[in-house]
Amino acid sequence: WHRNYAPFFSDCVKHHATLPTRVQSWYILLAGHWHLGTFLLSDLLATIDSTNLSSSNERICRQASNLVATLRRQNALAVADLSLASIHSVNDTKASKDFHFALSQAALLTEPWTVVFVRSLCRAGYILVQIAASDPSEEEQSQARRRCSDCIEGLWYLGRKSDMAF
């Protein structure tokens, strides 16, 4: 992921407003699903380790490298960035003629399975709140709160399409 796909998706987020509308919705859809899958994987790893269902060597290695927390943090930040890019494109560009006006207001709204982004944004927000509450660095706390706000704003946009997001 880090060698092949992360640079591509990071570039898409960075240049979101200049991408064609269909590419915006395409990469956000793929990335949203990927990040939710990674959140679920981190939960599975945490459960496996807490119930001693893995070998002790693998468990110790994961715990020493802080793998679960790292996966959660990296993906929470990436989901917040996706939300922010989609929302800012609303303000920077006119509504696309490719989609119905209600969907073209943010690339997040083109997701056919809204529940994926609702869960991704909620999970990312939850992790960012935990970071803000536990990190001793005021700068980290401020960044986590700001990015959590980006997730909440993404949920607000999705709330136009989904009662669950609202």
Side-chain angles (χ1 to χ4, degrees), residues 31-92:
H33 288 240
W34 170 265
H35 294 301
L36 179 59
T38 307
F39 288 140
L40 295 173
L41 174 65
S42 70
D43 292 345
L44 180 62
L45 289 172
T47 300
I48 288 171
D49 288 345
S50 68
T51 57
N52 295 326
L53 293 174
S54 61
S55 73
S56 61
N57 288 342
E58 291 172 356
R59 183 172 49 258
I60 290 168
C61 185
R62 279 192 295 273
Q63 290 170 343
S65 68
N66 208 18
L67 178 64
V68 171
T70 300
L71 282 173
R72 288 176 176 166
R73 180 185 180 87
Q74 287 175 344
N75 285 278
L77 296 175
V79 168
D81 288 345
L82 280 175
S83 180
L84 183 64
S86 177
I87 292 163
H88 275 255
S89 69
V90 172
N91 301 327
D92 296 343

Side-chain angles (χ1 to χ4, degrees):
W1 170 259
H2 288 293
R3 278 191 305 265
N4 297 322
Y5 302 109
F8 170 73
F9 283 103
S10 294
D11 196 47
C12 286
V13 168
K14 186 176 181 180
H15 301 288
H16 181 88
T18 62
L19 295 173
T21 307
R22 292 204 182 268
V23 173
Q24 289 176 356
S25 65
W26 170 81
Y27 92 82
I28 284 186
L29 183 135
L30 290 177
H33 288 240
W34 170 265
H35 294 301
L36 179 59
T38 307
F39 288 140
L40 295 173
L41 174 65
S42 70
D43 292 345
L44 180 62
L45 289 172
T47 300
I48 288 171
D49 288 345
S50 68
T51 57
N52 295 326
L53 293 174
S54 61
S55 73
S56 61
N57 288 342
E58 291 172 356
R59 183 172 49 258
I60 290 168
C61 185
R62 279 192 295 273
Q63 290 170 343
S65 68
N66 208 18
L67 178 64
V68 171
T70 300
L71 282 173
R72 288 176 176 166
R73 180 185 180 87
Q74 287 175 344
N75 285 278
L77 296 175
V79 168
D81 288 345
L82 280 175
S83 180
L84 183 64
S86 177
I87 292 163
H88 275 255
S89 69
V90 172
N91 301 327
D92 296 343
T93 61
K94 295 178 183 170
S96 170
K97 295 178 183 174
D98 293 339
F99 299 110
H100 186 274
F101 75 93
L103 300 181
S104 65
Q105 293 179 352
L108 288 174
L109 295 175
T110 62
E111 167 64 69
W113 301 291
T114 308
V115 68
V116 172
F117 269 109
V118 170
R119 290 197 61 201
S120 291
L121 289 166
C122 287
R123 184 63 189 202
Y126 178 78
I127 292 165
L128 291 165
V129 165
Q130 288 181 319
I131 292 170
S134 65
D135 199 301
S137 162
E138 191 170 320
E139 184 177 330
E140 283 290 317
Q141 289 176 352
S142 175
Q143 180 185 31
R145 282 193 300 272
R146 182 180 49 79
R147 288 181 169 214
C148 183
S149 177
D150 296 336
C151 292
I152 292 168
E153 193 170 0
L155 284 168
W156 183 83
Y157 272 94
L158 283 175
R160 297 176 180 183
K161 183 178 171 184
S162 163
D163 288 341
M164 185 171 71
F166 187 73

